[in-house]
Amino acid sequence: MAQSVADRPGVRTRVVTAGGVPTKVLTAGSGRPVVLLHGSGPGVSAEANWSGLIPELARDFQVVAPDIAGFGASVGPEGTAYGIKLWVRQLVELLDALELPSATLLGNSFGGGLSLAAALRHPDRVDGLVLLGTPVGTFEMTEGLRSGWHYEPDEAEMRRILTLFPHEPALVTDAMVRSRYEASARPGAQEAFRRLIPEPGPAGTPVRGVQEESLRTIGQPTLILHGREDRVIPVELAWRAARNLPNADLKVFAQCGHWVQLERPDGFLREVRAFLGGL
């Protein structure tokens, strides 16, 4: 069995109450604080998105990787109203609990959208943004997004869904499928996920990310990383973000799908280290 990132030297697991939710957090390293915000989907968690990168980033930075409310091990009490207000509150209260006046937010997909929402609502708590495969504006629902909502816990179906994300399906390993399937099969996990994400409509139904006019008010330095072959969040959305965020640079990775951090880890780390070093 592969070693959990939480078992590696220097990586600490703790539970912090933030936004009224007992929040599982992985922390490592020291220096400039960087909060890693995972994407959405059945069985997703901070460890699922970032396990291979936390030790690498912790060589140079203080890394904080929470399970966002409703995902992973961060489950709110019965009746919790999951949504962007709660997620931003959870993030800000997590920074408070860790005594971090501000941090750079590094968000993957849904986590990128949360990063933008936090920058809009609490700009003083956000030093910079790194956005991976982040939805902005209005676009047509993709198969990758649709499949996650309709998913019922099944290992074969989990494999099918996961192969929609990378450019090279071989990146989806048996261990990855098994881990995500087991997490998605926990009692109530898929029901909780469906409360977080609107039910997909018929073909052609629009999806709405952070609207482009709002992006023009975000002044923090921003790095946008996107896979050219992304079938979940089309690369055209990265260009929209880059055109509207006043201080954004964009790097597009060829032969790469939705998981830049997994498909192109060396390039991802090189770009992120250079960006953070320049803040």
Side-chain angles (χ1 to χ4, degrees):
M1 180 179 294
Q3 184 186 37
S4 166
V5 69
D7 297 328
R8 297 181 187 179
V11 180
R12 180 185 178 193
T13 302
R14 59 190 295 189
V15 176
V16 176
T17 298
V21 177
T23 301
K24 178 183 175 182
V25 187
L26 302 173
T27 60
S30 61
R32 177 182 292 278
V34 181
V35 179
L36 309 183
L37 298 171
H38 60 73
S40 65
V44 76
S45 65
E47 181 159 353
N49 263 194
W50 309 114
S51 61
L53 295 164
I54 289 174
E56 288 296 324
L57 287 171
R59 295 175 186 270
D60 305 294
F61 311 105
Q62 179 182 357
V63 178
V64 177
D67 284 355
I68 299 168
F71 296 91
S74 296
V75 180
E78 186 174 353
T80 297
Y82 296 107
I84 194 63
K85 291 182 179 179
L86 170 60
W87 295 323
V88 171
R89 178 182 160 209
Q90 180 194 26
L91 174 58
V92 170
E93 291 188 11
L94 176 61
L95 294 179
D96 291 342
L98 298 178
E99 299 182 341
L100 297 175
S102 60
T104 298
L105 306 181
L106 196 164
N108 175 42
S109 196
F110 157 71
L114 172 55
S115 299
L116 290 169
L120 286 167
R121 291 166 171 79
H122 299 276
D124 58 314
R125 308 303 298 269
V126 180
D127 298 327
L129 297 163
V130 181
L131 308 175
L132 284 72
T134 296
V136 301
T138 302
F139 61 102
E140 187 173 323
M141 173 75 69
T142 63
E143 177 61 17
L145 295 175
R146 186 184 304 277
S147 293
W149 198 94
H150 289 295
Y151 167 81
E152 296 288 349
D154 176 83
E155 197 162 345
E157 179 63 5
M158 177 62 80
R159 182 181 298 276
R160 185 191 74 81
I161 291 173
L162 291 180
T163 57
L164 296 172
F165 285 72
H167 178 58
E168 291 293 341
L171 187 72
V172 177
T173 64
D174 292 343
M176 179 190 297
V177 172
R178 188 69 189 175
S179 174
R180 291 283 293 263
Y181 161 69
E182 289 176 350
S184 74
R186 292 196 314 267
Q190 184 62 8
E191 288 78 9
F193 171 66
R194 287 181 181 144
R195 289 199 298 271
L196 308 180
I197 307 298
E199 180 176 4
T205 298
V207 178
R208 292 178 175 85
V210 177
Q211 292 306 296
E212 294 167 49
E213 56 270 21
S214 297
L215 300 180
R216 297 168 195 153
T217 69
I218 296 175
Q220 286 89 341
T222 302
L223 174 65
I224 303 169
L225 305 177
H226 214 108
R228 189 182 66 189
E229 284 73 36
D230 191 337
R231 293 176 291 172
V232 179
I233 303 296
V235 68
E236 288 78 10
L237 302 190
W239 287 104
R240 288 190 202 173
R243 283 196 297 267
N244 286 282
L245 287 160
N247 294 304
D249 290 330
L250 168 63
K251 169 73 174 183
V252 175
F253 290 86
Q255 306 297 310
C256 182
H258 191 58
W259 290 338
V260 170
Q261 75 276 25
L262 300 180
E263 297 177 68
R264 299 288 295 276
D266 292 343
F268 166 84
L269 288 168
R270 182 174 60 250
E271 297 291 337
V272 169
R273 284 192 174 112
F275 173 75
L276 293 173
L279 291 180

